[in-house]
Amino acid sequence: MTLGGRTFPRIDLKAFKQSPRANAGREGTPVLTVVTPDAPRPEATPTPATTGGSLIDEIVRDGARRMLAAALEAEVAAYIAAHADQVDEDGRRLVVRNGRAAPRQVVTAAGAVEVTAPRVNDKRVDETTGTRRRFSSAILAPWCRRSPQVSEVLPLLYLHGLSSQDFAPALEQFLGTSAGLSAATITRLTMTWQDEAKAFARRDLSGVDYVYLWADGVHLNVRLDEEKLCLLVMIGVRADGHKELIALAEGYRESAGSWADLLRDCARRGMRAPVLAAGDGALGFWNALREVFPQAKEQRCWFHKIGNVLAALPKSAHPGAKKALAEIWNAEDGDHARRAVAAFALAYKAKFPKAVAKITDDVGELLAFYDYPAEHWIHLRTTNPIESTFATVRHRTKVTKGPGSKAAGLAMAFKLIEAAQARWRAVNAPHLVALVRAAAVFERGVLVERPTVTTDRALPTPRAA
């Protein structure tokens, strides 16, 4: 084939040759061969349609192999040319070619590609350390068996539900090999998550201001441990209105001591007291919050509170109670909500005093969100940012019957939240968050403008004639 005055070898799509190294265990899979004009045409072999192979995949892999080989050759040639002027006492070059490395398979996004990398003999000596200089390929490291993209996607597949035992059967045909897909390899790749979680827990918090805070405890089963893993989670809203994971730590049954340790650790790292903290009725968190950040306001989660109230009522009363409770948390403003609380107590106190007490005893904390911008009410009255995020974590642990250890469970939860965090949207009206931090006053959910003070002296009143 002639193109631009140059003659290129012809790729014969009908002629195939079996490659034992590239197709071990996959008999009948064709490999493209290059046919020169003078070379005899090989005999035709069965086509991919009859053997069950995929011609397009082989074309992609063969193209990837050729491009990778050309890139490695070009890289070595450029390295040698850059040091061509460096010679020894006899006038011989210090940087020369040194044959080729042994062939090896590298798993890429295009599948398994066989690579024979060229080698370089660099005879130069580093004057500072006295050691021999070495050529290191920026394209393909000597130890590389997987491309960085494949190394990144394998843990993510595990993170989103693929069991470590299922990688080899699920991806062997897609990648063309099962090398590097064992359960031990996948587990080793996920070990880096524990280091990332530890680094996250030690980061500096002095540069971020969290105005709102959600806190909750999440319990996960641990496959190799009798006790469940209790995760203490805090998610905050920055002054710019965006949500962010503040802390994730292991606790002991959501105790006040565990929460206090976590809050004190955050305070030591520079965290300011939030304006409003939302959580469920667990006394451990609230006792710790009053100890570490006593100036923070408290907001009880309505999702948990409704569940507690309905648990104290018979099922026949649930429809009416849900409607009456909705009149409270979905009221027009705080005044209407208090009137709805009085109506709920009047309707149910005689028969179900315990259910009514769950509302009236915490009415101040349940209605605290009405003192803030109306656009933020939907975010502040529940701990839904934590509940919705950990739905993904619970789904993942169901697939694997729970993490193998508490450390692995903490690391997995951290990575899942980190991945979900990229999809979190800012709160409604994010520009109002900074005003909340500045202690602006909101009435009925609307910002109260400060009256304008006139500094000019008033003109004297003219005397009557």
Side-chain angles (χ1 to χ4, degrees), residues 55-109:
L55 178 59
I56 188 171
D57 288 335
E58 292 301 331
I59 293 176
V60 170
R61 290 174 185 171
D62 188 68
R65 179 183 60 78
R66 293 171 182 270
M67 293 180 66
L68 180 58
L72 292 174
E73 289 286 349
E75 183 185 33
V76 168
Y79 183 83
I80 294 175
H83 304 94
D85 57 336
Q86 300 188 25
V87 296
D88 59 10
E89 298 175 353
D90 298 329
R92 298 174 181 173
R93 289 187 178 184
L94 295 176
V95 182
V96 295
R97 289 285 297 262
N98 190 26
R100 296 178 179 274
R104 54 180 161 136
Q105 274 195 348
V106 178
V107 180
T108 68

Side-chain angles (χ1 to χ4, degrees), residues 328-376:
I328 302 174
W329 60 262
N330 202 25
E332 180 181 349
D333 52 47
D335 295 336
H336 286 81
R338 290 178 179 83
R339 286 195 287 270
V341 170
F344 176 78
L346 182 63
Y348 292 95
K349 187 174 183 179
K351 292 183 178 181
F352 313 108
K354 291 183 178 181
V356 173
K358 294 180 182 296
I359 297 295
T360 56
D361 291 351
D362 297 332
V363 66
E365 291 78 8
L366 286 170
L367 305 183
F369 70 93
Y370 283 113
D371 295 333
Y372 299 93
E375 293 87 348
H376 299 171

Side-chain angles (χ1 to χ4, degrees), residues 17-31 105 114 176:
K17 180 177 69 177
Q18 190 66 24
S19 174
R21 180 183 297 274
N23 300 316
R26 296 189 301 146
E27 295 185 0
T29 304
V31 174
Q105 274 195 348
E114 188 175 82

